Amino acid sequence: MTKTCEFCGREFNLTHAKRVIGRWYGAGAYDRYYPEGTACEDCATGVISCDVGTAVELAELMGDSWYDD
């Protein structure tokens, strides 16, 4: 299914985009971020990788003090 990315305007194959994002970030990751299927794999990767990077950094900063009051 060919769609147009809402961010960059490029035409992309939705099935391919979901497959690529799923390989990198786990099954269903694309649909959690873009349930309407509106982002190409490049734009989706930019957003999702930023969130993953932030989560990794936060985990490193918090260390073992997640539940300290």
Side-chain angles (χ1 to χ4, degrees):
M1 167 187 269
T2 302
K3 298 197 71 159
T4 301
C5 179
E6 72 175 333
F7 300 103
C8 69
R10 179 174 71 95
E11 285 192 5
F12 68 99
N13 181 298
L14 180 59
T15 304
H16 177 73
K18 287 183 176 188
R19 190 175 305 129
V20 167
I21 297 299
R23 259 188 266 134
W24 292 337
Y25 301 107
Y30 183 94
D31 289 328
R32 284 191 297 275
Y33 277 83
Y34 304 102
E36 302 297 319
T38 57
C40 69
E41 62 269 15
D42 293 335
C43 293
T45 297
V47 171
I48 296 170
S49 67
C50 182
D51 285 356
V52 169
T54 299
V56 168
E57 186 175 330
L58 182 60
E60 289 173 0
L61 291 171
M62 292 298 294
D64 60 358
S65 62
W66 283 97
Y67 300 106
D68 290 347
D69 289 330

